[in-house]
Amino acid sequence: MAMHDRKFAIGVFLAAGILAVLPFALAYFFSGEDHVFAGAILNPIDGNTYFAKAYQGWRGEWRFRLPYTAEAGSGAYINLYYILIGHVARWTGLSIHLVYQSARLIGSAALVYALQRFFGRILTRPFQQNTALALSVLGLGMGWLAVPFDVITADFWVAEAFPLLAVMTNPHFPLGLALIVWLATPSEDFSMSGAWTFAGLSFVLSLVSPFGVVIALLPWAGQILGDLYRRLQERRLTFKGVFSHPAYLAATGILVGGAPVLLYDYLAIRGDPVLSAWDAQNLTTTPPWWDLLLSFSPGILLAWVGWRRAPAALVSWFILGLVLIFLPFELQRRFMMGLQIPVAGMAAVGLDRLREASGQKMLAPVLLTLLVLPGTLLLAMTAAFGVISRSPLLFLEKNEFDGLMWITDNTPDQALVFASPEMGLFIPAQTGRRVIYGHPFETVGAARNEAEVVAALQASDPESLAAYLQAQGVDYVYFGPREAALRPQSLVGVSGLRLVYDLAGVAVYQVLE
């Protein structure tokens, strides 16, 4: 890469770093004396579950069990990346938050470097390389046009599809994307040793982001399909020389490294009734076509202009990715992972072609920037507003947090805590204790349990609540401002409860046998 392009890459890296660091730095700073930042800004509902997983590792566990479900089950060796984060925090004596955010930033840096390397290898012109890197790392789509109509399109919430969202959301999305991009990058002297390297990287990818293994195969799958088609056309039905072809070697390495973990995940989840029930309700379907078109525009429109001149790896990734996200499969949206990357690469080729055809070197890039920049700015403003306003989805009040710390210090690790649905999201993340309801996917029977928790809190008859707590096997009741919003009257008079903590509007009760 020439010096001019290296400077551009450094600029993109710094811009991505600011977006990855600044909102979180502000969040910890704006906590002040009265609030505590919970650790997640974009998609805090899922973000808290990652801290809950890390907490299990901090306790010395490796086997994952659902913390948002009353019956944890036997669990399985999945979600190991977050459990490892917890172990690292325990080994080093650092806080889970510090290790978690450090892992997110390291993964983000790896992603930007991998993208710079990827586009530097497959695109030959500096303008295309620069455009693809900037659009993939810093760009969203034109979903900002739908915001005035109260429509939130995929480019603001499907974090795994867009590198910008990934670096601002959690540690495993940017690291997973970095590994996918590295595995998708061609090499001129790819050999059997390279295949074994791919196997190792694919193994790590399968632990970090299992669906990423399938995505990593797509750029190579297109080349394999093309080679098989040529063999059929030439009536060369033998497979002589197949494993000297880089695409076959790469795909074999990816499968050898990743397939065993995917198979284990599938069997382990199917073999545990609790995990199986969680998986059955974990539906992540693809947004409608018009949403996708808006979310990936104007890049996808430019990609249409440039796809004939684009490298095969980009075209294969994009076309096969589109096929996967519309398969009749309950987790189809997971295959959107990194889809902005091939769109950005083909868009760069298309934009370069428009520049050549029009003779206007600056007009098209300026228009692209004007169409993409509002989404990026709106995302940054939304994150900043949530932080500055101390959104209750992002922050705990200090008295709420103190009550949670009392639970951490004074209750058994496997205690079941009853709380409002809102607080149920934070309890496993901050204390590692289980709740009856706290998450729309990781609570088995989520809709039913949420309704029952709310009904129990709002019951006018104290004995109804007491009976519910006994029936569910609850060990402790957390009662703070969020619970009081659902039940204005206190828990005084509810039989079978012993007050064990009471400070600044937060009470914790032990449920007696």
Side-chain angles (χ1 to χ4, degrees):
M1 179 176 273
M3 182 61 67
H4 163 75
D5 303 305
R6 187 177 297 116
K7 290 180 179 179
F8 186 88
I10 291 172
V12 171
F13 181 88
L14 292 176
I18 290 171
L19 290 169
V21 172
L22 187 58
F24 291 85
L26 288 174
Y28 286 109
F29 175 78
F30 273 99
S31 293
E33 296 182 357
D34 299 326
H35 292 80
V36 175
F37 176 48
I41 294 178
L42 301 185
N43 192 8
I45 292 177
D46 285 346
N48 277 276
T49 71
Y50 306 136
F51 283 97
K53 295 173 176 67
Y55 204 108
Q56 295 185 10
W58 184 82
R59 285 201 303 235
E61 302 168 9
W62 284 104
R63 197 177 187 93
F64 169 73
R65 294 174 176 84
L66 283 174
Y68 286 92
T69 294
E71 295 295 332
S74 58
Y77 295 104
I78 60 176
N79 294 310
L80 290 179
Y81 182 50
Y82 286 106
I83 291 176
L84 176 62
I85 286 175
H87 279 280
V88 171
R90 181 171 58 89
W91 295 332
T92 60
L94 301 174
S95 71
I96 291 176
H97 276 238
L98 181 58
V99 177
Y100 178 98
Q101 303 298 1
S102 298
R104 183 177 60 83
L105 295 178
I106 292 170
S108 300
L111 173 57
V112 177
Y113 177 75
L115 285 169
Q116 178 266 323
R117 175 178 177 267
F118 176 66
F119 289 124
R121 291 274 183 90
I122 66 172
L123 299 175
T124 57
R125 303 183 63 170
F127 174 82
Q128 295 177 5
Q129 296 170 358
N130 293 346
T131 302
L133 181 64
L135 187 58
S136 62
V137 174
L138 302 176
L140 298 177
M142 292 172 60
W144 55 272
L145 291 172
V147 172
F149 303 98
D150 292 327
V151 175
I152 306 300
T153 52
D155 53 333
F156 288 107
W157 67 274
V158 184
E160 61 267 42
F162 297 86
L164 176 60
L165 293 180
V167 303
M168 296 178 66
T169 300
N170 59 45
H172 83 277
F173 281 163
L175 180 57
L177 286 174
L179 290 167
I180 289 171
V181 172
W182 197 275
L183 289 168
T185 304
S187 175
E188 294 180 357
D189 55 348
F190 200 84
S191 61
M192 186 61 72
S193 63
W196 283 112
T197 300
F198 268 36
L201 292 173
S202 180
F203 176 75
V204 176
L205 175 59
S206 67
L207 298 177
V208 173
S209 184
F211 282 91
V213 174
V214 179
I215 305 302
L217 285 169
L218 300 185
W220 303 107
Q223 295 185 45
I224 291 173
L225 290 174
D227 180 70
L228 292 175
Y229 178 75
R230 285 190 295 272
R231 288 172 180 268
L232 289 173
Q233 289 288 95
E234 298 169 5
R235 300 185 183 279
R236 292 188 296 117
L237 300 181
T238 66
F239 291 93
K240 182 179 180 181
V242 159
F243 287 103
S244 63
H245 193 295
Y248 291 94
L249 283 173
T252 300
I254 293 170
L255 286 172
V256 167
V261 177
L262 297 184
L263 180 61
Y264 168 79
D265 289 350
Y266 176 80
L267 296 176
I269 290 172
R270 288 292 180 268
D272 184 289
V274 176
L275 292 177
S276 183
W278 155 63
D279 184 62
Q281 67 183 20
N282 187 21
L283 305 179
T284 53
T285 55
T286 298
W289 68 267
W290 58 264
D291 186 321
L292 296 178
L293 181 61
L294 197 58
S295 297
F296 288 99
S297 290
I300 200 169
L301 303 178
L302 289 169
W304 177 257
V305 175
W307 75 272
R308 290 183 181 275
R309 298 186 181 181
L314 294 175
V315 178
S316 299
W317 186 345
F318 177 69
I319 293 178
L320 296 177
L322 285 182
V323 171
L324 288 178
I325 66 175
F326 287 110
L327 289 178
F329 175 57
E330 63 268 17
L331 299 177
Q332 57 186 194
R333 198 187 74 224
R334 300 298 185 195
F335 295 125
M336 285 180 64
M337 190 171 188
L339 192 59
Q340 171 73 352
I341 295 168
V343 169
M346 291 192 295
V349 177
L351 187 65
D352 198 21
R353 184 179 178 187
L354 287 180
R355 289 169 74 241
E356 290 179 345
S358 66
Q360 299 290 330
K361 298 298 183 182
M362 293 303 298
L363 180 59
V366 169
L367 288 175
L368 176 64
T369 302
L370 292 176
L371 292 173
V372 170
L373 189 59
T376 304
L377 293 177
L378 183 59
L379 177 70
M381 291 170 58
T382 302
F385 177 78
V387 168
I388 294 171
S389 65
R390 296 189 179 94
S391 166
L393 274 175
L394 310 185
F395 291 84
L396 291 160
E397 294 180 11
K398 185 61 166 58
N399 58 336
E400 293 178 318
F401 181 77
D402 289 342
L404 294 179
M405 292 304 97
W406 185 92
I407 288 176
T408 301
D409 295 335
N410 296 278
T411 66
D413 288 346
Q414 299 303 320
L416 178 61
V417 180
F418 174 85
S420 65
E422 268 194 56
M423 187 53 63
L425 176 65
F426 295 106
I427 288 174
Q430 299 294 332
T431 72
R433 275 53 175 180
R434 293 178 294 117
V435 293
I436 295 175
Y437 175 83
H439 193 266
F441 293 142
E442 295 202 7
T443 297
V444 174
R448 171 179 54 80
N449 278 298
E450 182 183 16
E452 290 180 356
V453 165
V454 172
L457 267 175
Q458 293 180 334
S460 56
D461 178 11
E463 292 309 308
S464 296
L465 176 56
Y468 177 78
L469 297 175
Q470 291 290 340
Q472 294 295 319
V474 172
D475 300 303
Y476 292 87
V477 175
Y478 180 99
F479 195 87
R482 304 182 199 229
E483 288 68 31
L486 294 173
R487 183 184 181 90
Q489 67 270 36
S490 70
L491 296 183
V492 175
V494 178
S495 62
L497 298 184
R498 180 168 69 92
L499 182 65
V500 292
Y501 176 89
D502 188 8
L503 184 65
V506 173
V508 178
Y509 297 84
Q510 183 179 12
V511 180
L512 303 177
E513 294 290 341

